[in-house]
Amino acid sequence: MQTLTYTTSPYYRPDIDGLRAVAVSLVVLCHAFPSVFGGGYIGVDIFFAISGYLISAILFRGINKGTFSFLDFYAKRSRRIFPALIFVIVIGLILGALLLTPREFKELGAEAMYGSIFVENIRLARGIDYFGLEIARKPFMHLWSLGVEEQFYMIFPLLLWGAWKLLKGRVGWLLVTLLVASFATELYYQPIDESKAYFWPHCRFWQLGAGVLLAYVHFRADENRFCGQIKTILESHGDWLSIGALVTLLICLFTFDSVTNQYPGYWALIPTICSILLIGAGKNALINRTLLTHPKTVFLGWLSYPIYLWHWLFLSIGFSLYAGKVPILVTCVLVLLSFVFAYISFAFIEVPIRRMKADKKMLFGTLGVLFFVGAISGLVSLNDGLRQRLNAEQQKALVTITNDRKVPKQHRCVNTYDFVCWSQTGKEDGNVLLIGNSHTEHMMNVFSKSAPDFARVDVYAAGGTRPLENVVQGFSKKQLIRDGKIHHVLTAAK
């Protein structure tokens, strides 16, 4: 590990890389073994707080000294983020072409395209339940969090730069106001539209903003009495704060599967505050100086970004290949494989490229390659998942299996996105709801011929699922019940 020196910055804190290791471990455990570690999704909240802290610390120093350059900032971001992402998308496209059906490969291509331009979160906000079963069939779904961060990087530096010049660096209250506004927006949308509350950037910026505020406190600690007192209190009680924060995160890992229908909401305050406490406790706090700065923990933190990119790609493809019933041994192999590919990405792509100069050539070169890969991904989706790669016999079998799943545009349900949904009228309100799996999907032709013209019969179905457990969880109560106008609910499955 000594040969893989990751950074020489005088501001580098190895304990924050250790916290990254904690974050990615929680996410991988949750995605690989959700029945045991169902609350591990809070790892993303930890990542947000870390990113807000580190990025804003760089901005505060640069803008205050007058050395900040937007070109330099974005060139360094592209050098850090784009190469590994390009590699993962390319391998994902290859695996999809070899292993997935056209329908699955088409979805993968669409996700990769949106992920390459960092708007996968906007796409998912149209009506996807992060905690629903169908999310497991989306190999690049996890790029949503990368989208939130990149959108933050696009907006916040410009906003801070302008505010800093206007307010002569006294931006503390502005940062607090923006954080509160973002949190209030998230709370507003939570009971109305869970998908928007979960995926929209302005509903998540407050978590990055928490890191920004801590960085501001550290930056002003020497000249501002209030900031200095906060920093002193956090560090003087660092041992106990770090212990309490880590224990709380571990409790969340095992218990937060029970609050998924209310998340983020107020519940997201817990992992976000714990992350801030661990960073604010300082590098000399008990947990920070022992566990988080342990060489193996730090090294895992170095790998956290590529691990995050790889693990879900492999787990999702495995989910598709095994029709949702992946053996534990296979899951363990896929997780191990993600660690292997993460090391390859880090040692042979990230580290060598990180040693290159971050300039205009780096920025536009990596951005051009990323957009090119995204365009290829889009073509995969537009060409129906490259159905022509199958031989005639395979295509015939596939048409037989999926023929009844095609829903004419005039019969598609309103406000649905991922499940097969059929409606006689296409209107918002209906009175019959049929819930099921692939066996139910085949009944749509019957409804199309027998249902009265005035009726709306909704069919919510997803192949390879347990309908009452999985399909119902894939829709909010507002979507399923339609304000109480559903008169009959039927289930059909095998």
Side-chain angles (χ1 to χ4, degrees), residues 5-80:
T5 303
Y6 196 45
T7 181
T8 58
S9 171
Y11 301 102
Y12 174 64
R13 282 181 54 179
D15 59 310
I16 294 182
D17 268 330
L19 186 56
R20 280 191 174 121
V22 173
V24 78
S25 297
L26 296 181
V27 173
V28 172
L29 287 173
C30 175
H31 287 162
F33 311 104
S35 60
V36 180
F37 306 105
Y41 57 86
I42 64 170
V44 172
D45 304 74
I46 300 174
F47 277 128
F48 285 160
I50 292 173
S51 295
Y53 176 81
L54 294 177
I55 291 300
S56 57
I58 294 171
L59 294 172
F60 291 148
R61 292 193 298 267
I63 295 175
N64 187 61
K65 292 179 181 178
T67 59
F68 176 75
S69 163
F70 284 100
L71 176 62
D72 180 68
F73 175 79
Y74 290 116
K76 288 180 177 177
R77 292 301 93 210
S78 67
R79 184 180 63 181
R80 169 75 174 93

Side-chain angles (χ1 to χ4, degrees), residues 90-127:
V90 169
I91 297 299
L93 290 173
I94 294 172
L95 292 176
L98 295 175
L99 302 173
L100 300 181
T101 66
R103 182 185 183 188
E104 293 166 336
F105 194 32
K106 178 180 180 178
E107 176 63 20
L108 182 148
E111 291 167 13
M113 179 187 68
Y114 284 101
S116 68
I117 56 176
F118 304 106
V119 292
E120 175 68 359
N121 61 315
I122 305 297
R123 179 176 185 250
L124 295 177
R126 291 164 53 190

Side-chain angles (χ1 to χ4, degrees), residues 238-250:
D239 287 354
W240 289 110
L241 289 176
S242 64
I243 293 172
L246 183 61
V247 170
T248 302
L249 289 175
L250 292 177

Side-chain angles (χ1 to χ4, degrees), residues 56 59-60 151-152 155-164 167 170-187 200-213 216 269:
S56 57
L59 294 172
F60 291 148
Q151 289 151 24
F152 178 80
I155 297 171
F156 182 69
L158 183 61
L159 178 64
L160 180 64
W161 181 83
W164 198 280
L167 302 175
R170 305 301 175 182
V171 297
W173 284 111
L174 174 63
L175 298 177
V176 172
T177 301
L178 293 174
L179 185 153
V180 172
S182 173
F183 185 57
T185 302
E186 188 264 306
L187 293 180
W200 264 4
H202 46 290
C203 292
R204 288 288 194 160
F205 280 175
W206 68 270
Q207 294 180 293
L208 291 105
V212 173
L213 275 182
Y216 186 76
L269 285 169

